[in-house]
């Protein structure tokens, strides 16, 4: 072992979903939006002048912060923006979780949380979901160093009612509670309305899912002025220019063309409910997802086998070889046509299998 290896920050990294390229591929593995972003976003990008790329972007990202504050009826001092909600969450972990007590999050959840905890040496404890994959309020009403709860949860898609979340926030005035609302536009009750009541609440969101801008990397957080100031101090100690000129322009345009996104959102929700019913007819059981994906299992065929068979067919879904969920597939909601191809393949594969 080289001497420098003793000084390494060793981490077990997060594994992102595959990004396969090629004609005919149906990509239902990273919860992207199947519809393009609002036309105004593309116009805003085309209008960027070369001169503005020569200069550094606005470090305070004020145009986007203003647009978000106006849209959600908050003060600008209550808004923080970053390079996707991954960046915002990582910054929040670094800022708020610097104590000796463990932070708490569910055992089945977004698998980046334990990676950030590992990276920043934050002690953590996973709280097991109950038998039907729900977050138990009582598990989070105890002494701890902080709390992270995604609502709806991923990869289950299950939403937690706001009353339970409020109980958790109320029971933990001494620590920061992060509610990760990456999928909230697709269902569930937002914790935004709780912000005036609780200074220890941080609500994190993204443009990647409902606003079709995963490729642009825009995330944001809402919280009390004090929390946002702390986040900014850490951000300015790390990287002042997180948001590119292009991301700022695209983000502002996406907020301004709100009606477009409401339309695509409704389409995705309709498709999700139809696909749930169709999966049921094929013998799958699934959780009551409120997000833009469905977590499903079939009693007659191992999830890993289905995952491989689908991949062979050019249909990518997500499979997690982890305790409790290794017989489930997480299927993102695509267009109706894409979902029909998926359902047709699953139907014929399962039929062939029962005949064997
Ligand atoms: N939170 C959850 C629960 C997610 O599933 C994701 C997407 N993988 C993110 C946050 C991060 O999304 P983004 O960085 O694209 O905003």
């Amino acid at each position: 072992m080289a001497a420098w290896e003793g000084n390494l920050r060793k981490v077990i990294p997060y594994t992102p979903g595959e990004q396969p390229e090629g004609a005919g591929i149906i990509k239902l593995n990273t919860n992207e939006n199947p519809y393009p972003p609002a036309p105004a976003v593309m116009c805003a990008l085309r209008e960027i002048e070369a001169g503005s790329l020569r200069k550094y972007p606005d470090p305070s990202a004020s145009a986007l912060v203003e647009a978000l504050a106006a849209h959600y009826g908050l003060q600008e001092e209550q808004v923080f923006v970053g390079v996707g909600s991954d960046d915002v969450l990582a910054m929040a972990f670094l800022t708020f979780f610097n104590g000796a007590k463990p932070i708490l999050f569910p055992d089945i959840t977004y698998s980046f949380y334990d990676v950030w905890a590992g990276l920043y040496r934050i002690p953590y404890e996973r709280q097991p979901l109950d038998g039907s994959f729900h977050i138990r309020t009582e598990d989070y009403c105890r002494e701890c160093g902080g709390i992270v709860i995604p609502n709806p949860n991923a990869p289950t898609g299950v939403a937690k009612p706001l009353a339970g979340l409020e109980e958790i926030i109320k029971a933990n005035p001494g620590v920061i509670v992060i509610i990760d609302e990456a999928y909230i536009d697709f269902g569930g009750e937002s914790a935004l309305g709780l912000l005036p009541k609780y200074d220890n609440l941080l609500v994190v969101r993204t443009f990647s899912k409902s606003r079709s801008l995963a490729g642009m990397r825009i995330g944001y957080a809402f919280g009390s002025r004090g929390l946002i100031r702390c986040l900014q101090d850490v951000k300015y100690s790390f990287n002042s220019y997180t948001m590119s000129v292009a991301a700022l322009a695209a983000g502002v345009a996406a907020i301004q063309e709100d009606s477009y996104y409401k339309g695509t959102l409704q389409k995705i929700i309709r498709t999700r409910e139809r696909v749930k019913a169709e999966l049921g007819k094929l013998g799958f059981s699934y959780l009551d997802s409120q997000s833009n994906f469905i977590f499903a299992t079939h009693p007659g065929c191992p999830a890993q086998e289905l995952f491989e068979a689908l991949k062979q067919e050019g249909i990518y879904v997500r499979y997690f070889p982890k305790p409790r969920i290794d017989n489930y597939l997480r299927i993102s909601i695509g267009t109706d046509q894409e979902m029909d191809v998926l359902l047709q393949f699953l139907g014929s594969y399962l039929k062939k299998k029962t005949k064997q």
Side-chain angles (χ1 to χ4, degrees):
M1 191 175 111
W4 54 264
E5 286 186 54
N7 298 332
L8 272 180
R9 183 175 290 273
K10 289 203 184 76
V11 285
I12 303 169
Y14 171 73
T15 317
E18 285 174 82
Q19 292 295 97
E21 297 281 351
I25 281 175
I26 296 185
K27 204 175 161 300
L28 308 173
N29 66 335
T30 48
N31 301 339
E32 288 146 342
N33 196 309
Y35 301 108
V41 170
M42 301 318 291
C43 286
L45 289 175
R46 276 193 292 270
E47 279 167 15
I48 292 172
E49 287 170 16
S52 70
L53 295 184
R54 186 182 57 76
K55 293 185 287 184
Y56 283 105
D58 169 14
S60 62
S62 55
L64 183 58
V65 166
E66 273 166 33
L68 283 165
H71 185 72
Y72 289 100
L74 295 165
Q75 304 290 311
E76 285 158 35
E77 294 80 9
Q78 292 181 279
V79 183
F80 179 81
V81 295
V83 187
S85 54
D86 279 342
D87 180 50
V88 174
L89 286 162
M91 210 67 83
F93 271 57
L94 185 58
T95 306
F96 300 119
F97 302 152
N98 194 29
K101 290 181 194 144
I103 63 165
L104 311 177
F105 47 80
D107 63 338
I108 298 165
T109 193
Y110 185 33
S111 47
F112 226 139
Y113 299 155
D114 51 357
V115 174
W116 288 314
L119 177 65
Y120 298 133
R121 309 285 183 257
I122 301 163
Y124 64 92
E125 277 176 23
R126 297 185 179 100
Q127 305 301 301
L129 299 183
D130 71 12
S132 51
F133 292 114
H134 286 86
I135 290 169
R136 287 186 299 220
T137 301
E138 61 272 25
D139 291 345
Y140 297 84
C141 297
R142 45 165 281 212
E143 210 169 303
C144 64
I147 291 170
V148 189
I149 293 181
N151 192 41
N153 195 6
T156 61
V158 174
K160 185 166 178 61
L162 197 56
L165 287 178
E166 180 165 10
E167 222 177 294
I168 292 170
I169 298 160
K170 204 173 180 172
N172 287 282
V175 299
I176 304 307
V177 180
I178 298 176
I179 308 292
D180 178 354
E181 294 192 347
Y183 301 102
I184 197 71
D185 291 331
F186 302 101
E189 300 167 89
S190 173
L192 262 193
L194 299 179
L195 281 176
K197 273 167 92 176
Y198 301 100
D199 278 355
N200 61 327
L201 168 64
L202 190 79
V203 178
V204 178
R205 291 187 169 188
T206 180
F207 282 55
S208 296
K209 316 295 180 182
S210 56
R211 291 191 192 265
S212 303
L213 283 172
M216 196 46 80
R217 314 304 299 125
I218 308 173
Y220 55 105
F222 296 137
S224 60
R225 288 158 180 253
L227 292 199
I228 299 302
R229 214 175 306 122
C230 293
L231 270 173
Q232 272 162 356
D233 285 347
V234 169
K235 174 203 131 150
Y236 284 119
S237 312
F238 191 82
N239 177 5
S240 311
Y241 305 108
T242 49
M243 307 300 291
S244 71
V245 167
L248 292 175
V252 170
I255 287 290
Q256 283 164 354
E257 201 169 352
D258 204 49
S259 56
Y260 170 87
Y261 119 94
K262 292 222 166 92
T264 51
L265 202 54
Q266 284 317 310
K267 273 207 263 190
I268 292 168
I269 292 170
R270 259 199 313 273
T271 308
R272 176 187 75 203
E273 295 308 311
R274 178 176 77 83
V275 173
K276 278 182 188 169
E278 297 289 338
L279 286 173
K281 284 185 213 155
L282 294 176
F284 281 89
S285 46
Y286 50 85
L287 303 179
D288 184 24
S289 170
Q290 298 298 302
S291 59
N292 68 337
F293 53 84
I294 299 173
F295 206 49
T297 181
H298 197 283
C301 188
Q304 189 167 12
E305 179 184 325
L306 281 176
F307 168 75
E308 300 291 352
L310 284 163
K311 195 164 162 175
Q312 288 261 313
E313 200 62 20
I315 304 172
Y316 285 72
V317 299
R318 194 86 193 254
Y319 172 70
F320 300 94
K322 289 187 171 177
R324 296 182 74 188
I325 56 169
D326 59 359
N327 204 23
Y328 280 82
L329 294 178
R330 192 196 68 188
I331 306 167
S332 307
I333 302 300
T335 61
D336 276 309
Q337 293 91 315
E338 288 174 325
M339 300 318 278
D340 285 342
V341 175
L342 168 98
L343 290 166
Q344 217 159 43
F345 177 79
L346 288 174
S348 59
Y349 188 88
L350 291 166
K351 204 158 157 192
K352 254 188 268 164
K353 199 169 162 77
T354 45
K355 276 196 194 135
Q356 277 169 9

